[in-house]
Amino acid sequence: MRSLWSDSQAEGFAGDLGKRVYTSRLLGADPELVLHGGGNTSVKVRETDFFGESTEILYVKGSGWDLATIEAAGFAPVRMKPLLQMAEMPHLSDADMVKQQRAAMLDPEAPNPSIEAILHAILPFRFVDHTHANAIIALTNSPRGEERVRGVFGGAVLVVPYVMPGFILARTVWELIRGRDLAAEGIRGIILMNHGIFTFADDARTSYETMIDLVSQAEAALAAAGARLASVAPGAPDLLGLAELRGQVSRMQGAAMIARLDASEAAVGYAALPNISDLATRGPATPDHSIRTKRIPAVLGEDRRASLEAYAAEYAAYFGRHATGQTMLDPAPRVVIWPGQGVVSFGRSVAEADAVLDIARATWETVQKAEMTGGWQALSEKDIFEVEYWDLEQAKLRKGGQAKVHQGKVALVTGSAAGIGFACAEALAMQGAKVIGLDLSEEIVAGMASLGGVGKVVNLTNDAAVLEAVEGAVREFGGIDILVSNAGIFTAGQYLDQLAQENWDKSMAVNLTSHQKLLKYTIPYLKHGIDPAIVLVGSRNVQAPGAGAASYSCAKAALTQLCRVAALELAPVGVRCNIIHPDAVFDTKLWTPENLARSAERYGMTVEEYKSRNLLRTEIKSRDVGAMVAAMASPLFGKTTGAQIPVDGGNDRVI
Ligand code: ZN
C-alpha cells in the first residue's frame, strides 16, 4: 500500500476542511482500507459562529456519506465543548448521544455526525482518520490477536479491546488516554481489536500517511507469515441453479432480490476450500458489515434448498438467543457460498448487491490471510448481534423508504430501442426493475443506458443470439421475472392475390416465430422468477383487422393464440401470460408529420381527428401502452392470466 498524496492535487483543496476532504477521498479510494460508507474522518478548526464568537468545531463525517466521494457538505460541524462534556459522562444512552450531537451542530441542515464523533473529539490532534483496513482486521481477529499486533507495532500504537462502537468505545479510549501526551510517548495510532484503526496528526498529510504506513506494516507482516489466497479456475456457470437460488432467497427475504455471481478464480477458490463451511461461518470481519451481509453467509451443500432452509432456521435461533425485544429481520442470506460455482451476493438493487459482494471479497481475503498466519477468530455472536440490531445502525437501513413496485426485479424487453418497447422499458425501470433491452437497432445501447438498464443489439430471429442474450441476463442479475415480448414489424399492405410471399414470411418470422423462440428460452428461468409475468404485445388489428393487412394481422392473431396456450401451460407453475392490444401510436419516429397528414387525408379527416379516431376520442401514446404493460406485470394483475387487454380508446369493432 502506498500513499496517494500529491502536492499538486492537494493544492486544489483550500483550507483545513479542504485538505480533510482530499485525504478522506484518498482513504475512500482504496477498498483495502474502507468499503461503502465505512470508516470516518474529522478535522478540528476554530471558526467564528453566527454570533461572532470564536468557537472550536469538529468537522466530522456525516452519516450517509461515502469517504470516496465526500465533499465539504458531507462533514457535520459540531461544537467541541458538548462533545468533550459527553466524554466525561459515565453513562450516556445512544438516543441521548445522537440528540446531543445534533443539538451541538452549527448547521441543523448538515447530516447527522458519525457515531464516533466523541472519539474523534477527544483525540488531541487536528486531523483524525479511522478505517477498517483488511490487514489490521486479519491481525486482530485471531486467538492471539493482541500479541500479533504488539509484535508488528511494538509501542507505536495503543491497543483497545473490542467494545461496542459509539459512546462506549469513546469512553473506553478516553479512560486510556486522559492526561497522557500521546505524541511524546511516540504513539502513532490506536488499534481497535476486531474493528479497525485510528491514526492522527496535526496536519492532513501526516495523519493519512501514518494510516498508510501502519496498514502497510500489517500487510508486510501477513505476507512474511505466508498469507496467500486460494484460486481455482471456474467451470461453466449453472444458470438454472442460479435462478432457482435467487428465487428461493427472494422468497425468504419477502421481495425480489438481484443476485450477483462472482465466478472469479478467487471466489471459486474460496468456495472450494475443504473447511469452507467452518471457515466462512465464524463471523464477519468487522461488526458493522453485519448490517449489509448478515453475521454469516450461507454455505450450500449437496441439497441447496435444504442448506438455505437450515440457514433460515439457524438465523431465527440466533435471533432467539440474543433478542431483547427487537423485531426479527428477514432470515434470508445476503451472501451465499456455492462450492463449484463461486460466491453470490444479494440486494434489492444492483448497487446494493454489488456493495455486499465488495464486502464479501474483502472478507474472504481477510479470513484466509488470518487463518493461514495465526488462525481466524471473529467476535462472539452476541457482540455481532448487538451491532446488527443496534438502533443506530438499523436507522441507516430504514432511510431507504418505500420500495417501488418492481424493485429488485429483472425485466427483458424486446424491440425497446424506440416507440412502445422503449416506453415499456421506461415504465418498468421507473418502477424499480433492472431492464435488459434487446433490439436490432444500435440505439438500444444508449437508450437502455439512459434508464440505468442494459441494451444489447440482437436479431431476434437468430436462435443462438437470443439464447445468448437470455443467458447473459441471468448471468448478470440472477434470473428473469418479467418478459415483455414486443419486437415487431409492420409489413406493407398488400391484398391476398398480390401478396408477396416474402412479405408473409417475414411477418411470420418476426411477429410470431421470434416470440415463440423467446418464450422457449426464457420460460425455464421465468419459472423461478419472482411474481413472474409475460406480456406479449399484440395489436388492435387482431379483433378489428383491415383489408390488405393479412401478413400482419394473421401473425398477431396467432401470437394471441400463443399467449392463450402459454397461459394454460404456465399457470400451474405460477407464471402469468397476458397480451395487450394497442391501437396505433403516433408519437414515434415512424410517423412523420407528412405521413400523418397523408393518412388523415385518405380518411377525409384532420390530423387531430385521425389521431383520436376511437370511441373515447383520445390519442393513444406510447407512454399509455408502457404504463399498462408495467401494470400487467405487477401484482395489480396478479390474478389475471390468458387475458387480452385493449389500449385503443374503445373501438366499436372490438367491443
Ligand atoms: Zn469503525
Side-chain angles (χ1 to χ4, degrees):
M1 182 167 295
R2 56 179 193 86
S3 168
L4 302 174
W5 177 279
S6 137
D7 283 331
S8 59
Q9 273 180 5
E11 257 174 46
F13 294 85
D16 283 343
L17 185 55
K19 295 290 182 287
R20 180 66 284 174
V21 170
Y22 175 57
T23 57
S24 298
R25 289 185 190 171
L26 296 185
L27 292 174
D30 192 337
E32 296 288 324
L33 290 173
V34 291
L35 283 172
H36 302 292
N40 39 65
T41 57
S42 68
V43 60
K44 300 176 185 76
V45 298
R46 186 162 274 284
E47 274 183 9
T48 308
D49 71 9
F50 181 75
F51 302 102
E53 268 178 47
S54 171
T55 314
E56 210 186 342
I57 299 160
L58 177 79
Y59 277 97
V60 64
K61 193 193 98 164
S63 81
W65 283 79
D66 201 309
L67 288 182
T69 52
I70 200 161
E71 293 162 25
F75 287 90
V78 193
R79 291 174 197 276
M80 279 287 286
K81 195 174 163 207
L83 290 172
L84 297 175
Q85 282 173 319
M86 281 191 275
E88 293 293 347
M89 302 180 75
H91 303 286
L92 183 64
S93 72
D94 291 334
D96 283 342
M97 180 184 81
V98 169
K99 201 182 284 179
Q100 292 309 316
Q101 282 187 180
R102 271 203 76 78
M105 297 201 321
L106 269 74
D107 176 0
E109 279 158 24
N112 264 332
S114 157
I115 52 172
E116 308 293 13
I118 299 174
L119 177 46
H120 281 264
I122 59 171
L123 291 169
F125 299 88
R126 286 157 49 73
F127 289 84
V128 176
D129 296 36
H130 169 48
T131 72
H132 305 145
N134 294 347
I136 299 293
I137 304 284
L139 279 185
T140 65
N141 290 31
S142 106
R144 292 166 26 251
E146 196 164 335
E147 199 179 307
R148 297 179 70 203
V149 171
R150 293 255 173 255
V152 175
F153 300 114
V157 297
L158 281 181
V159 181
V160 181
Y162 179 81
V163 290
M164 269 289 272
F167 176 73
I168 300 171
L169 175 59
R171 183 72 204 164
T172 305
V173 174
W174 186 225
E175 295 287 347
L176 215 64
I177 66 168
R178 67 197 308 172
R180 287 169 67 173
D181 184 342
L182 299 181
E185 291 181 44
I187 288 172
R188 304 174 67 206
I190 299 176
I191 304 289
L192 309 173
M193 297 300 291
N194 305 89
H195 177 162
I197 173 171
F198 273 82
T199 59
F200 31 71
D202 284 331
D203 69 279
R205 181 173 183 172
T206 307
S207 183
Y208 163 71
E209 290 189 337
T210 304
M211 177 70 70
I212 300 301
D213 185 32
L214 295 183
V215 174
S216 299
Q217 287 181 41
E219 285 181 338
L222 291 168
R228 57 185 174 75
L229 303 176
S231 172
V232 170
D238 174 2
L239 296 179
L240 265 182
L242 179 62
E244 187 185 17
L245 178 67
R246 170 176 175 265
Q248 199 180 350
V249 170
S250 295
R251 279 187 291 280
M252 286 163 76
Q253 208 274 352
M257 308 277 274
I258 297 287
R260 299 285 260 175
L261 168 67
D262 184 340
S264 63
E265 295 189 353
V268 178
Y270 183 57
L273 289 174
N275 63 339
I276 186 67
S277 51
D278 161 42
L279 189 62
T281 58
R282 291 184 204 162
T286 177
D288 70 339
H289 286 172
S290 64
I291 310 303
R292 287 180 184 272
T293 63
K294 289 229 154 82
R295 188 179 73 88
I296 54 174
V299 181
L300 299 183
E302 213 42 46
D303 183 342
R304 298 195 296 265
R305 187 163 287 271
S307 302
L308 291 178
E309 280 163 8
Y311 181 91
E314 171 47 32
Y315 186 80
Y318 152 77
F319 179 81
R321 284 194 290 275
H322 305 291
T324 51
Q326 298 93 333
T327 305
M328 193 179 95
L329 301 170
D330 71 86
R334 296 299 186 271
V335 179
V336 170
I337 294 174
W338 188 359
Q341 291 287 318
V343 176
V344 190
S345 72
F346 294 88
R348 288 280 279 144
S349 64
V350 173
E352 200 179 296
D354 282 348
V356 170
L357 193 53
D358 283 343
I359 293 173
R361 284 190 189 114
T363 304
W364 80 57
E365 284 183 19
T366 308
V367 165
Q368 289 178 86
K369 286 178 182 171
E371 181 71 357
M372 296 177 92
T373 57
W376 168 251
Q377 185 180 65
L379 272 178
S380 76
E381 35 165 78
K382 184 170 187 300
D383 286 321
I384 304 298
F385 181 88
E386 280 176 3
V387 173
E388 184 180 350
Y389 279 87
W390 190 15
D391 204 49
L392 299 185
E393 291 287 3
Q394 293 297 316
K396 289 185 195 168
L397 295 181
R398 278 196 298 268
K399 278 204 315 194
Q402 185 78 31
K404 296 173 180 170
V405 66
H406 290 305
Q407 190 67 44
K409 288 195 181 173
V410 183
L412 195 66
V413 185
T414 68
S416 52
I420 286 177
F422 183 83
C424 294
E426 189 176 36
L428 289 165
M430 279 173 61
Q431 294 174 17
K434 189 76 188 173
V435 177
I436 296 104
L438 311 181
D439 203 297
L440 204 53
S441 161
E442 285 182 4
E443 285 172 33
I444 189 71
V445 177
M448 292 301 102
S450 75
L451 304 176
V454 181
K456 284 183 181 155
V457 181
V458 173
N459 178 348
L460 290 156
T461 61
N462 176 335
D463 269 68
V466 172
L467 181 60
E468 191 188 313
V470 168
E471 290 182 347
V474 177
R475 175 71 189 75
E476 281 295 300
F477 306 112
I480 299 173
D481 309 301
I482 299 169
L483 169 65
V484 180
S485 199
N486 161 70
I489 47 164
F490 196 79
T491 35
Q494 286 173 347
Y495 274 56
L496 286 170
D497 53 350
Q498 301 292 325
L499 179 60
Q501 195 56 38
E502 193 195 358
N503 176 315
W504 175 269
D505 290 346
K506 187 155 192 212
S507 180
M508 289 300 154
V510 177
N511 293 327
L512 178 61
T513 309
S514 82
H515 298 259
Q516 169 263 322
K517 287 179 177 171
L518 189 62
L519 288 179
K520 179 177 172 176
Y521 294 132
T522 48
I523 283 171
Y525 299 110
L526 283 164
K527 283 180 179 173
H528 297 297
I530 313 308
D531 188 19
I534 300 168
V535 181
L536 301 175
V537 178
S539 167
R540 193 258 311 161
N541 250 281
V542 172
Q543 311 287 350
S551 65
Y552 183 78
S553 304
C554 291
K556 289 290 189 181
L559 183 67
T560 305
Q561 195 73 342
L562 186 67
C563 171
R564 300 171 74 199
V565 174
L568 291 168
E569 289 186 7
L570 297 175
V573 288
V575 182
R576 297 179 286 113
C577 185
N578 295 295
I579 188 163
I580 186 169
H581 290 318
D583 201 352
V585 296
F586 300 106
D587 59 340
T588 66
K589 279 189 292 186
L590 230 60
W591 289 91
T592 60
E594 299 78 55
N595 277 343
L596 258 176
R598 212 177 308 128
S599 296
E601 204 188 313
R602 210 181 317 140
Y603 285 84
M605 293 174 173
T606 66
V607 167
E608 279 317 303
E609 283 167 348
Y610 178 71
K611 287 205 289 190
S612 55
R613 57 191 175 116
N614 53 51
L615 295 174
L616 291 171
R617 298 262 170 266
T618 181
E619 185 188 341
I620 317 300
K621 300 200 163 160
S622 307
R623 189 162 289 199
D624 302 323
V625 181
M628 178 57 89
V629 165
M632 288 164 74
S634 80
L636 208 61
F637 276 69
K639 311 271 166 98
T640 302
T641 192
Q644 303 177 40
I645 311 295
V647 179
D648 58 6
N651 181 303
D652 46 11
R653 291 176 60 204
V654 174
I655 288 172

